[in-house]
Amino acid sequence: MRLLVTGGAGYVGSVVTALLLGAGHEVTVLDDLSTGHRDAVPEGARLVVADLADAADVLDPSVDAVLHFAGKSLVGESVDSPEPYWRTNAGGSLALLEALRRHGVRRMVFSSSAATYGDPASPEPIAETDPAVPTNPYGASKLAVDHMLESWARAYGLGAVSLRYFNVAGAHLGLGERHAPETHLVPNLLRVAAGEKESADVYGTDYPTRDGTAVRDYLHVADLADAHLRALERVVPGTHRVINLGTGGGHTVREVLDAVRRVTGLPVPAVDGPRRPGDPAVLVAANARARRELGWAPTRTLDETVADAWEFARGLPRT
C-alpha cells in the first residue's frame, strides 16, 4: 500500500514506519520535526517536513491509508499551556481528516491514549467500554479526535481504529526514545544508570499497591508497532473501533527500578518523594479486544523491554 505516516520522525511513529517498510509498503512521513528527529526516519521512507495543517498538500487519491501519530503529548505541559494541545492535537487532526475526505482516503489508524480514561475508579484492568473521563487537556484532546473519527465514520464512510496506548518503552531496529524533556520512567532510570543523573525520583510511596508505588502497564514498542500493522489490515470502511494496547498486567515503580538494576548491573539510586497531583494509583489495560480483533498479543517481558532501551541508551548496535 501507499501510506502516509504523520509524526513518523518520533519514537513510536519511526518504529512503525520501519515495520511498514519491512512489510513492503511505500511510506511518506509527514513531520514538522518540532519534537521528532530527521535521522529517526527510516531509510526508504520519503520525508515531508510540514505541519498537519498542510496535509492536504501531501495527500493525494493514490494514498491508501494514513497512520496518525503527530501531536503533543506532555500531560503536565497540557495543564499549564492547553492551547497548543487543542490547536495541534484536535485542530491539526481536524485538518488531516478534512484532507482525507477531500482526497477520498478511507482508512486511518490513530495513536490515541490511555489518558482518555482519566483516573479510573477501580484498580481493575481498564476495558474499552469503561468511561472515558480525561483529567487533563492532553487526554481530552485525544478523546476529541476519537469522537471525530466516530462521526467521520458515520457521515463519510471513513474506516478508523483508535489504538489507546498505556505505557510504552524499549527500542527496536535502532530506534528509541529521545524526548526533550524526557518524562517517561524507563529512560529516566537509564539516565541514572548511565551517570547522567545522580538519582531517580520516585513519586509517591503510599499508594494502595503491593509496595506503595504506582502501577503502570509497560509495553515494548515493537509489540506496540506490530499492533498498528495488524490494525491497518483490519480497518473496515464506515466503522470506528477503539482498542487498548497493553500487556494486561502491571509493574510498580519499584519493580521497574529493580528491573533496571538487574539489566544494567548498576545500583541506580532513587529518592522517594510525594505523589504528583493527578497520578492514579493503577493504570493497566484490558487487552482482550486486541487479542480477539487484531489477533495480537504482547511477546516481550519487562526485562527484555528495559534491556533493549538500555542498548539504545548506550548507543550499541541493535538488531
Side-chain angles (χ1 to χ4, degrees):
M1 290 187 284
R2 294 192 65 190
L3 304 171
L4 176 68
V5 177
T6 73
Y11 173 41
V12 176
S14 63
V15 176
V16 172
T17 296
L19 293 190
L20 291 169
L21 291 167
H25 300 296
E26 180 181 337
V27 181
T28 295
V29 167
L30 172 68
D31 201 300
D32 66 5
L33 300 182
S34 59
T35 56
H37 304 273
R38 188 183 294 270
D39 64 353
V41 178
E43 183 177 354
R46 169 178 169 248
L47 172 63
V48 176
V49 180
D51 189 84
L52 277 174
D54 303 316
D57 299 328
V58 180
L59 275 169
D60 64 62
S62 68
V63 172
D64 296 300
V66 173
L67 294 97
H68 180 28
F69 301 93
K72 299 180 73 63
S73 60
L74 299 179
V75 169
E77 181 184 69
S78 79
V79 174
D80 295 334
S81 184
E83 185 273 335
Y85 282 76
W86 288 107
R87 175 167 41 84
T88 301
N89 294 0
S93 296
L94 177 59
L96 177 63
L97 285 171
E98 278 294 274
L100 264 66
R101 184 163 72 97
R102 187 181 313 168
H103 291 293
V105 180
R106 301 283 297 279
R107 290 199 279 182
M108 175 187 276
V109 177
F110 173 54
S111 167
S112 189
S113 170
T116 56
Y117 293 113
D119 189 353
S122 165
E124 297 301 316
I126 299 170
E128 294 85 352
T129 53
D130 285 340
V133 188
T135 57
N136 54 70
Y138 165 66
S141 67
K142 286 289 192 177
L143 183 60
V145 180
D146 287 343
H147 287 312
M148 286 183 206
L149 293 173
E150 179 69 24
S151 59
W152 251 248
R154 291 182 179 180
Y156 308 126
L158 177 70
V161 177
S162 292
L163 298 175
R164 288 183 176 166
Y165 310 171
F166 281 62
N167 285 59
V168 186
H172 190 55
L173 302 174
L175 301 164
E177 295 191 72
R178 286 191 284 165
H179 302 124
E182 183 57 75
T183 61
H184 294 164
L185 179 62
V186 171
N188 274 325
L189 293 178
L190 293 175
R191 287 179 63 195
V192 178
E196 297 174 18
K197 291 179 62 180
E198 288 187 5
S199 62
D201 296 312
V202 177
Y203 296 107
T205 59
D206 60 346
Y207 286 104
T209 61
R210 49 189 172 269
D211 63 20
T213 62
V215 173
R216 297 293 182 265
D217 190 340
Y218 295 90
L219 181 66
H220 195 293
V221 68
D223 286 333
L224 181 83
D226 173 62
H228 287 74
L229 271 67
R230 293 170 182 265
L232 180 64
E233 295 170 355
R234 292 164 174 81
V235 171
V236 178
T239 301
H240 171 237
R241 288 178 290 166
V242 173
I243 299 177
N244 288 342
L245 294 181
T247 65
H251 295 278
T252 68
V253 172
R254 293 206 192 284
E255 288 167 350
V256 177
L257 181 57
D258 287 343
V260 170
R261 289 167 175 162
R262 282 194 302 272
V263 167
T264 65
L266 297 167
V268 191
V271 177
D272 292 346
R275 299 185 188 187
R276 291 179 298 194
D279 271 357
V282 179
L283 281 177
V284 174
N287 63 16
R289 182 176 291 183
R291 292 174 180 271
R292 182 176 65 252
E293 297 190 11
L294 302 182
W296 172 88
T299 62
R300 294 160 176 86
T301 66
L302 177 63
D303 279 22
E304 289 172 318
T305 301
V306 170
D308 287 344
W310 180 229
E311 286 191 356
F312 177 80
R314 291 186 298 166
L316 298 180
R318 269 78 61 185
T319 58

